[in-house]
Amino acid sequence: MPQRRPAPASAAPAPTAPAPIVNAMSVDVEDYFQVSAFAGQVARDSWGEMPCRIERNIEIVLEILREAGAKSTFFTLGWIAERYPGVVRSIAAEGHELASHGYGHQRVTDLNRSSFMQDLLRAKGLLEDTTGQAVLGYRAPSFSIGDANPWAFDCILETGHRYSSSVYPIRHDHYGSPASPRFAHAARPGLLEIPITTVRVLGNNFPAGGGGYFRLLPYRSARWLVRRVNQVDRRPAMFYFHPWEIDPDQPRIAGAGMKSRFRHYLNLHQTERRLRRLLSDFRWDRADRVFLEAGP
Ligand SMILES: [Zn+2]
């Protein structure tokens, strides 16, 4: 009788662990002097005179993503597309998703319905003309859509976008709608809202999708938060960062308040390393592929 041989390793039953969730990575493409916190120091009509760091910083961001084998969505200002079309083309050429961050980083709370429509159309037109690809996504500057301006979702839909990522459901002094839904949902029929990721602990939402928190807290906190959303909520995370956050040598803005300076310059030298770890510890892809193809 032939002797039974142990089954080869490849015939062992497959482990039953669920497939890892693919999260959405995003970059808000604006320069260090265009952030809302410095609006009082750098007037919009003087942006053109500021030393621009966007070409250098996007090149580094693209290299980090390339090395991690990850794709991302780039919510880009129309102002940047107008002046640096090569930057926008290089983002699209590497297979990333190009989306809109409005034209000139005006908060939606500072616009009325018709000026918001103009801003949406101008940014979308510039971005689409630069790459020839349709722009489906929009992110409001400073997450400035909430209970005060629900009409903004109608404008985003009417201007041909299919999703928005404009709400951060946390309590923050500059932005945030803590009572808004935490996960992707239809804001209107045909328009998905993909909020920035939060973790719910003891009845409160904690920021888990980036921003200054990613630089403030140790990396292991960021990893714990994203892991919790994937493992406990079983949902993909929506994470974001800015190109200036990986640029410790950016020119300093004179005259900004202490709080703004603390938030903007904190741990800039650590962000690139943390980002590389985050990209390797989880799976990441463009927001359209993670959320639109999955449906609401
Ligand atoms: Zn922004």
Side-chain angles (χ1 to χ4, degrees):
M1 211 170 140
Q3 226 178 345
R4 286 186 70 154
R5 288 180 22 206
S10 61
T16 50
I21 285 180
V22 180
N23 300 289
M25 180 52 71
S26 66
V27 187
D28 287 2
V29 182
E30 66 202 40
D31 217 339
Y32 65 97
F33 53 83
Q34 298 176 312
V35 301
S36 300
F38 293 153
Q41 285 69 44
V42 189
R44 192 169 275 103
D45 58 13
S46 69
W47 282 359
E49 295 142 37
M50 299 293 288
C52 206
R53 307 277 289 178
I54 204 75
E55 290 171 295
R56 166 203 185 272
N57 290 340
I58 289 293
E59 213 171 285
I60 296 170
V61 167
L62 290 175
E63 181 194 304
I64 293 170
L65 290 166
R66 202 181 306 129
E67 285 173 11
K71 299 296 180 207
S72 173
T73 293
F74 287 70
F75 293 97
T76 305
L77 290 182
W79 191 95
I80 296 283
E82 206 167 48
R83 283 164 183 78
Y84 301 94
V87 167
V88 170
R89 282 191 208 104
S90 65
I91 291 169
E94 296 215 19
H96 300 291
E97 179 191 9
L98 196 67
S100 166
H101 195 33
Y103 177 77
H105 213 262
Q106 280 179 290
R107 294 180 201 215
V108 185
T109 39
D110 293 339
L111 300 172
N112 62 29
R113 214 180 156 113
S114 105
S115 52
F116 183 46
M117 289 287 279
Q118 282 170 30
D119 184 79
L120 286 165
L121 289 171
R122 188 178 183 192
K124 192 171 192 282
L126 278 163
L127 293 165
E128 291 182 341
D129 288 350
T130 306
T131 64
Q133 292 174 14
V135 163
L136 305 180
Y138 169 77
R139 173 170 291 154
S142 304
F143 306 108
S144 52
I145 298 181
D147 296 341
N149 52 9
W151 47 263
F153 287 120
D154 300 313
C155 301
I156 299 169
L157 179 64
E158 281 167 33
T159 46
H161 299 85
R162 288 196 44 213
Y163 76 91
S164 152
S165 178
S166 302
V167 177
Y168 206 160
I170 53 165
R171 213 172 289 284
H172 185 282
D173 54 349
H174 290 171
Y175 53 77
S177 303
S180 296
R182 289 178 52 225
F183 296 111
H185 58 278
R188 296 287 181 273
L191 183 78
L192 199 65
E193 166 59 33
I194 309 167
I196 303 294
T197 293
T198 54
V199 159
R200 192 152 180 88
V201 181
L202 301 172
N204 285 303
N205 294 347
F206 289 89
Y213 312 98
F214 187 59
R215 288 181 285 119
L216 177 69
L217 303 172
Y219 172 71
R220 62 179 180 275
S221 313
R223 185 177 55 198
W224 183 86
L225 289 161
V226 174
R227 194 173 279 162
R228 191 179 156 102
V229 172
N230 285 176
Q231 292 182 351
V232 177
D233 297 307
R234 298 294 307 153
R235 299 285 197 137
M238 169 56 111
F239 196 93
Y240 84 105
F241 68 98
H242 302 93
W244 55 261
E245 289 185 281
I246 54 143
D247 180 10
D249 301 325
Q250 64 189 269
R252 293 321 193 234
I253 302 290
M258 245 205 354
K259 193 159 77 172
S260 295
R261 274 186 289 137
F262 174 77
R263 283 179 174 169
H264 190 94
Y265 299 122
L266 180 75
N267 289 338
L268 291 176
H269 60 289
Q270 293 196 17
T271 321
E272 180 175 340
R273 190 178 51 83
R274 288 183 185 179
L275 204 54
R276 286 182 188 275
R277 290 185 71 183
L278 190 71
L279 287 165
S280 89
D281 283 342
F282 299 91
R283 295 180 63 195
W284 300 95
D285 202 354
R286 305 155 43 138
D288 59 346
R289 283 207 285 257
V290 171
F291 290 98
L292 282 190
E293 289 170 16

mmCIF file of all heavy atoms in Angstrom, residues 1 14 22 114 118 122 127 152 154-155 165 176 180 183 201 222-224 226 233 237 260 268 286 292:
data_model
loop_
_atom_site.group_PDB
_atom_site.id
_atom_site.type_symbol
_atom_site.label_atom_id
_atom_site.label_comp_id
_atom_site.label_asym_id
_atom_site.label_seq_id
_atom_site.Cartn_x
_atom_site.Cartn_y
_atom_site.Cartn_z
ATOM 1 N N MET A 1 0.828 -1.200 0.000
ATOM 2 C CA MET A 1 0.000 0.000 0.000
ATOM 3 C C MET A 1 0.871 1.263 0.000
ATOM 4 O O MET A 1 1.835 1.324 0.764
ATOM 5 C CB MET A 1 -0.852 -0.018 1.276
ATOM 6 C CG MET A 1 -2.186 0.660 1.065
ATOM 7 S SD MET A 1 -3.275 0.353 2.479
ATOM 8 C CE MET A 1 -4.008 1.938 2.616
ATOM 9 N N ALA A 14 -7.382 27.837 2.896
ATOM 10 C CA ALA A 14 -7.064 29.270 2.932
ATOM 11 C C ALA A 14 -7.528 29.861 4.254
ATOM 12 O O ALA A 14 -8.553 29.457 4.789
ATOM 13 C CB ALA A 14 -7.766 29.974 1.780
ATOM 14 N N VAL A 22 -9.512 48.486 1.078
ATOM 15 C CA VAL A 22 -8.748 49.501 0.349
ATOM 16 C C VAL A 22 -9.290 50.870 0.733
ATOM 17 O O VAL A 22 -10.493 51.133 0.623
ATOM 18 C CB VAL A 22 -8.857 49.293 -1.176
ATOM 19 C CG1 VAL A 22 -8.050 50.369 -1.915
ATOM 20 C CG2 VAL A 22 -8.387 47.901 -1.565
ATOM 21 N N SER A 114 -24.872 81.806 -6.501
ATOM 22 C CA SER A 114 -24.404 82.031 -7.869
ATOM 23 C C SER A 114 -22.874 82.176 -7.919
ATOM 24 O O SER A 114 -22.232 81.678 -8.846
ATOM 25 C CB SER A 114 -25.143 83.223 -8.494
ATOM 26 O OG SER A 114 -24.339 84.353 -8.553
ATOM 27 N N GLN A 118 -20.230 79.685 -10.042
ATOM 28 C CA GLN A 118 -19.152 80.193 -10.911
ATOM 29 C C GLN A 118 -17.801 79.609 -10.512
ATOM 30 O O GLN A 118 -16.991 79.235 -11.356
ATOM 31 C CB GLN A 118 -19.076 81.711 -10.811
ATOM 32 C CG GLN A 118 -20.154 82.419 -11.607
ATOM 33 C CD GLN A 118 -20.192 83.911 -11.288
ATOM 34 O OE1 GLN A 118 -19.175 84.509 -10.956
ATOM 35 N NE2 GLN A 118 -21.369 84.491 -11.380
ATOM 36 N N ARG A 122 -15.569 77.285 -12.970
ATOM 37 C CA ARG A 122 -14.259 77.786 -13.371
ATOM 38 C C ARG A 122 -13.168 76.757 -13.061
ATOM 39 O O ARG A 122 -12.308 76.453 -13.900
ATOM 40 C CB ARG A 122 -13.980 79.104 -12.630
ATOM 41 C CG ARG A 122 -12.755 79.815 -13.102
ATOM 42 C CD ARG A 122 -12.591 81.120 -12.362
ATOM 43 N NE ARG A 122 -11.449 81.866 -12.861
ATOM 44 C CZ ARG A 122 -10.937 82.925 -12.245
ATOM 45 N NH1 ARG A 122 -11.477 83.362 -11.128
ATOM 46 N NH2 ARG A 122 -9.893 83.552 -12.751
ATOM 47 N N LEU A 127 -9.381 72.491 -14.890
ATOM 48 C CA LEU A 127 -8.782 71.171 -14.656
ATOM 49 C C LEU A 127 -9.040 70.244 -15.842
ATOM 50 O O LEU A 127 -8.138 69.534 -16.297
ATOM 51 C CB LEU A 127 -9.340 70.549 -13.365
ATOM 52 C CG LEU A 127 -8.943 71.278 -12.068
ATOM 53 C CD1 LEU A 127 -9.816 70.829 -10.897
ATOM 54 C CD2 LEU A 127 -7.468 71.024 -11.744
ATOM 55 N N ALA A 152 -25.391 74.004 -1.171
ATOM 56 C CA ALA A 152 -24.103 73.794 -1.849
ATOM 57 C C ALA A 152 -24.083 72.439 -2.562
ATOM 58 O O ALA A 152 -23.509 72.312 -3.653
ATOM 59 C CB ALA A 152 -22.965 73.883 -0.840
ATOM 60 N N ASP A 154 -26.557 70.968 -4.028
ATOM 61 C CA ASP A 154 -27.283 71.106 -5.303
ATOM 62 C C ASP A 154 -26.353 71.693 -6.365
ATOM 63 O O ASP A 154 -26.344 71.255 -7.516
ATOM 64 C CB ASP A 154 -28.510 72.011 -5.130
ATOM 65 C CG ASP A 154 -29.475 71.456 -4.097
ATOM 66 O OD1 ASP A 154 -29.770 70.243 -4.161
ATOM 67 O OD2 ASP A 154 -29.918 72.213 -3.203
ATOM 68 N N CYS A 155 -25.569 72.699 -5.967
ATOM 69 C CA CYS A 155 -24.642 73.338 -6.915
ATOM 70 C C CYS A 155 -23.587 72.336 -7.405
ATOM 71 O O CYS A 155 -23.249 72.302 -8.597
ATOM 72 C CB CYS A 155 -23.936 74.522 -6.270
ATOM 73 S SG CYS A 155 -25.031 75.809 -5.673
ATOM 74 N N SER A 165 -16.350 65.656 -1.115
ATOM 75 C CA SER A 165 -15.699 65.177 0.114
ATOM 76 C C SER A 165 -15.422 66.431 0.925
ATOM 77 O O SER A 165 -14.288 66.874 1.074
ATOM 78 C CB SER A 165 -14.413 64.422 -0.228
ATOM 79 O OG SER A 165 -13.775 64.006 0.969
ATOM 80 N N GLY A 176 -15.970 71.867 10.534
ATOM 81 C CA GLY A 176 -16.497 70.676 11.190
ATOM 82 C C GLY A 176 -17.996 70.720 11.388
ATOM 83 O O GLY A 176 -18.572 71.763 11.675
ATOM 84 N N SER A 180 -22.984 65.471 11.388
ATOM 85 C CA SER A 180 -23.150 64.910 10.028
ATOM 86 C C SER A 180 -22.800 63.426 10.017
ATOM 87 O O SER A 180 -22.039 62.963 10.869
ATOM 88 C CB SER A 180 -22.229 65.644 9.054
ATOM 89 O OG SER A 180 -22.612 66.983 8.955
ATOM 90 N N PHE A 183 -20.028 58.331 7.436
ATOM 91 C CA PHE A 183 -19.588 57.530 6.284
ATOM 92 C C PHE A 183 -20.245 58.010 4.992
ATOM 93 O O PHE A 183 -21.202 58.789 5.018
ATOM 94 C CB PHE A 183 -19.882 56.048 6.534
ATOM 95 C CG PHE A 183 -19.097 55.510 7.703
ATOM 96 C CD1 PHE A 183 -19.736 55.153 8.891
ATOM 97 C CD2 PHE A 183 -17.713 55.407 7.637
ATOM 98 C CE1 PHE A 183 -19.001 54.690 9.977
ATOM 99 C CE2 PHE A 183 -16.976 54.954 8.716
ATOM 100 C CZ PHE A 183 -17.621 54.587 9.886
ATOM 101 N N VAL A 201 -15.685 57.406 19.716
ATOM 102 C CA VAL A 201 -15.322 56.866 21.030
ATOM 103 C C VAL A 201 -16.070 57.656 22.092
ATOM 104 O O VAL A 201 -16.030 58.893 22.088
ATOM 105 C CB VAL A 201 -13.791 56.977 21.275
ATOM 106 C CG1 VAL A 201 -13.427 56.388 22.632
ATOM 107 C CG2 VAL A 201 -12.996 56.279 20.184
ATOM 108 N N ALA A 222 -2.289 57.462 14.616
ATOM 109 C CA ALA A 222 -2.903 57.502 13.281
ATOM 110 C C ALA A 222 -3.169 56.076 12.786
ATOM 111 O O ALA A 222 -4.234 55.780 12.241
ATOM 112 C CB ALA A 222 -2.000 58.245 12.305
ATOM 113 N N ARG A 223 -2.192 55.197 13.020
ATOM 114 C CA ARG A 223 -2.358 53.809 12.567
ATOM 115 C C ARG A 223 -3.507 53.132 13.320
ATOM 116 O O ARG A 223 -4.318 52.426 12.737
ATOM 117 C CB ARG A 223 -1.043 53.036 12.776
ATOM 118 C CG ARG A 223 -1.096 51.622 12.210
ATOM 119 C CD ARG A 223 0.226 50.916 12.359
ATOM 120 N NE ARG A 223 0.652 50.934 13.757
ATOM 121 C CZ ARG A 223 1.898 50.710 14.158
ATOM 122 N NH1 ARG A 223 2.852 50.452 13.280
ATOM 123 N NH2 ARG A 223 2.199 50.739 15.439
ATOM 124 N N TRP A 224 -3.591 53.383 14.620
ATOM 125 C CA TRP A 224 -4.659 52.780 15.432
ATOM 126 C C TRP A 224 -6.029 53.241 14.916
ATOM 127 O O TRP A 224 -6.967 52.448 14.815
ATOM 128 C CB TRP A 224 -4.477 53.178 16.901
ATOM 129 C CG TRP A 224 -5.490 52.552 17.814
ATOM 130 C CD1 TRP A 224 -5.421 51.320 18.401
ATOM 131 C CD2 TRP A 224 -6.746 53.125 18.230
ATOM 132 N NE1 TRP A 224 -6.546 51.093 19.156
ATOM 133 C CE2 TRP A 224 -7.380 52.172 19.066
ATOM 134 C CE3 TRP A 224 -7.390 54.331 17.970
ATOM 135 C CZ2 TRP A 224 -8.631 52.403 19.650
ATOM 136 C CZ3 TRP A 224 -8.643 54.563 18.550
ATOM 137 C CH2 TRP A 224 -9.248 53.607 19.379
ATOM 138 N N VAL A 226 -6.962 54.442 11.853
ATOM 139 C CA VAL A 226 -7.348 53.898 10.543
ATOM 140 C C VAL A 226 -7.676 52.402 10.677
ATOM 141 O O VAL A 226 -8.659 51.906 10.121
ATOM 142 C CB VAL A 226 -6.239 54.137 9.480
ATOM 143 C CG1 VAL A 226 -6.585 53.438 8.170
ATOM 144 C CG2 VAL A 226 -6.042 55.635 9.257
ATOM 145 N N ASP A 233 -15.468 49.287 12.177
ATOM 146 C CA ASP A 233 -16.571 49.779 11.336
ATOM 147 C C ASP A 233 -16.669 49.014 10.007
ATOM 148 O O ASP A 233 -17.683 49.089 9.330
ATOM 149 C CB ASP A 233 -16.393 51.277 11.042
ATOM 150 C CG ASP A 233 -16.454 52.131 12.303
ATOM 151 O OD1 ASP A 233 -17.429 52.001 13.045
ATOM 152 O OD2 ASP A 233 -15.515 52.920 12.544
ATOM 153 N N ALA A 237 -11.307 54.134 4.885
ATOM 154 C CA ALA A 237 -11.035 55.486 5.385
ATOM 155 C C ALA A 237 -10.873 56.444 4.215
ATOM 156 O O ALA A 237 -10.481 56.050 3.123
ATOM 157 C CB ALA A 237 -9.768 55.477 6.225
ATOM 158 N N SER A 260 -2.104 79.782 14.731
ATOM 159 C CA SER A 260 -1.961 79.410 13.317
ATOM 160 C C SER A 260 -0.561 78.918 13.025
ATOM 161 O O SER A 260 -0.363 77.940 12.301
ATOM 162 C CB SER A 260 -2.268 80.599 12.407
ATOM 163 O OG SER A 260 -3.618 80.971 12.537
ATOM 164 N N LEU A 268 6.558 69.404 10.735
ATOM 165 C CA LEU A 268 6.625 69.276 9.268
ATOM 166 C C LEU A 268 7.723 68.295 8.840
ATOM 167 O O LEU A 268 7.578 67.577 7.855
ATOM 168 C CB LEU A 268 6.905 70.643 8.626
ATOM 169 C CG LEU A 268 5.780 71.689 8.700
ATOM 170 C CD1 LEU A 268 6.264 73.007 8.116
ATOM 171 C CD2 LEU A 268 4.522 71.210 7.980
ATOM 172 N N ARG A 286 -7.456 55.623 -5.366
ATOM 173 C CA ARG A 286 -8.178 56.866 -5.659
ATOM 174 C C ARG A 286 -9.588 56.804 -5.082
ATOM 175 O O ARG A 286 -10.204 55.733 -5.048
ATOM 176 C CB ARG A 286 -8.317 57.031 -7.179
ATOM 177 C CG ARG A 286 -7.047 56.993 -7.935
ATOM 178 C CD ARG A 286 -7.222 56.545 -9.397
ATOM 179 N NE ARG A 286 -8.365 57.117 -10.078
ATOM 180 C CZ ARG A 286 -8.353 57.574 -11.329
ATOM 181 N NH1 ARG A 286 -7.226 57.543 -12.038
ATOM 182 N NH2 ARG A 286 -9.441 58.044 -11.889
ATOM 183 N N LEU A 292 -16.946 55.370 -5.629
ATOM 184 C CA LEU A 292 -17.967 55.460 -6.685
ATOM 185 C C LEU A 292 -18.264 54.098 -7.279
ATOM 186 O O LEU A 292 -19.413 53.762 -7.554
ATOM 187 C CB LEU A 292 -17.513 56.385 -7.815
ATOM 188 C CG LEU A 292 -17.622 57.882 -7.585
ATOM 189 C CD1 LEU A 292 -17.370 58.609 -8.894
ATOM 190 C CD2 LEU A 292 -18.960 58.288 -7.006
#
